[in-house]
Amino acid sequence: MKDKLVGSIEGADKAYMKRAKEYWDNRTHPTGSFGALEGMTIRLAGIQRRVIPSVEKKAIVVFCADNGVVAEDVSSSPQVFTQMLANAMARGETGVATLSRWADSELYIVDIGMKKDVAREASIIDAPIRCGTGNIAEEAAMSREEAIEAIKRGMAVAKAAIKNGASMIGTGELGIGNTTTSAALLSALTGESAEDCVGYGAGITKAQLAKKVAVVKKAVARAGDGDVIHKIAQVGGLDLAGLVGVFLACGEEKVAAVVDGFVTGVAALAAVQLAPNASDYIFLSHKSCEKASERVNTHLGMTPPLDLAMRLGEGSGCPLFFQLMEGALYAMKNMGSMEDNAIDPGLLVNIEKESL
């Protein structure tokens, strides 16, 4: 089942990465002095199989779903906020919606499992698996079959965006209670303790934090052992499953995928455990303030380029990363060469080599 779901994901092309590095080294600047900006474009070169890559069109895919675990008093917000905020996002009134407009990126808002208490804005993509998940403290979030279908629907949305021209896809989520499901999935995937995986999310009391830790412990213990899909089905969320599908689809289609923060990072980690080469196609956007975000990044083996003390979610870090990448690409394309400026590169000290 895993092989049929994942398909074939090739690693990024290291030959193109080498050529992109050589191209950068011949730009008019001390070797490597653009730091992480160079590294971002070099990775993108390996993804796109082009020495000088480009980002012609960007998209952000946001999965919206409700979580039964809110019955355990692990969130200060009422569950109906999921649906209300999804509608506000569709009207262009939330953080990711405004930033996405500013960054000139398309926004795909997907109902993959919201309850039906509020009428939907017409632009929300209707792709629900079920109306919310089970309470992970007492039962599985969903069946294995539902988890697989949610991953497939996530893949389908991502592939539709790619077919529509997206060359970089950001990831976002919306769902009251989803930092609890994400903490539980992180613990199940890595063996990290509940205490180390649970944070304050959008804002809860100390008493609710203690409940959240207890719920994660109980859910992970109840779920027991199993493969990645089993863990998603047992303790995850429909938004998480859809996001896993996006990361897998981007790997298959050789398109860069961008993690927003904690929730999307946990989904990326699950995707990498399903298909290790998917890691080559994933970028982090920023360091989330959520407590366990740094642990997620460590397990992914990546360092985000931005630390802005953000904790909004929604995919809000992705438009910022898009602009950062476009700035790096603009510099790569438009800087002159050493020869253009009659500079002898042999006179420069390459501190990258000196530090070896």
Side-chain angles (χ1 to χ4, degrees), residues 16-283:
Y16 276 100
M17 293 172 71
K18 183 175 183 292
R19 289 170 61 189
K21 175 70 165 65
E22 291 168 349
Y23 182 89
W24 264 113
D25 288 351
N26 194 39
R27 298 306 92 195
T28 306
H29 74 314
T31 305
S33 60
F34 261 106
L37 294 177
E38 293 185 34
M40 287 160 48
T41 63
I42 289 167
R43 284 193 61 208
L44 192 60
I47 290 169
Q48 295 186 354
R49 277 70 173 168
R50 299 165 62 182
V51 176
I52 304 177
S54 65
V55 180
E56 302 298 335
K57 193 172 184 180
K58 299 93 62 184
I60 301 172
V61 181
V62 181
F63 290 96
C64 309
D66 281 307
N67 300 282
V69 74
V70 298
E72 300 296 320
D73 188 28
V74 293
S75 174
S76 60
S77 300
Q79 194 161 49
V80 72
F81 274 21
T82 303
Q83 300 158 76
M84 293 170 65
L85 289 169
N87 280 339
M89 187 180 292
R91 293 192 295 268
E93 296 173 357
T94 69
V96 72
T98 54
L99 288 173
S100 185
R101 246 189 342 267
W102 164 72
D104 193 27
S105 58
E106 282 194 274
L107 188 60
Y108 293 76
I109 306 165
V110 185
D111 174 6
I112 198 166
M114 288 192 288
K115 289 184 173 292
K116 302 294 182 183
D117 303 323
V118 175
R120 300 281 181 269
E121 290 287 337
S123 60
I124 295 175
I125 298 169
D126 191 37
I129 304 296
R130 53 186 280 181
C131 296
T133 59
N135 178 357
I136 63 171
E138 303 295 340
E139 61 182 329
M142 66 197 88
S143 69
R144 183 182 180 91
E145 292 71 27
E146 287 170 331
I148 290 169
E149 182 59 28
I151 292 171
K152 287 181 177 178
R153 291 190 192 184
M155 294 179 77
V157 173
K159 289 186 178 185
I162 292 166
K163 187 176 181 180
N164 197 34
S167 53
M168 181 170 282
I169 294 184
T171 54
E173 40 63 39
L174 191 58
I176 302 304
N178 69 3
T179 58
T180 302
T181 54
S182 299
L185 185 56
L186 175 61
S187 180
L189 291 173
T190 65
E192 297 271 9
S193 71
E195 289 83 358
D196 286 335
C197 293
V198 169
Y200 281 91
I204 53 177
T205 66
K206 288 184 179 179
Q208 287 175 312
L209 181 69
K211 291 178 183 180
K212 196 171 176 181
V213 170
V215 163
V216 168
K217 284 182 179 179
K218 187 176 180 181
V220 173
R222 179 195 52 72
D225 294 329
D227 63 8
V228 175
I229 295 172
H230 169 81
K231 292 171 183 175
I232 293 169
Q234 288 294 315
V235 304
L238 292 162
D239 50 353
L240 284 162
L243 288 163
V244 170
V246 172
F247 292 114
L248 294 177
C250 285
E252 286 187 359
E253 299 295 328
K254 300 179 176 62
V255 168
V258 182
V259 167
D260 174 30
F262 176 59
V263 177
T264 56
V266 172
L269 183 60
V272 170
Q273 289 194 5
L274 281 169
N277 281 344
S279 177
D280 286 2
Y281 298 86
I282 295 171
F283 290 90

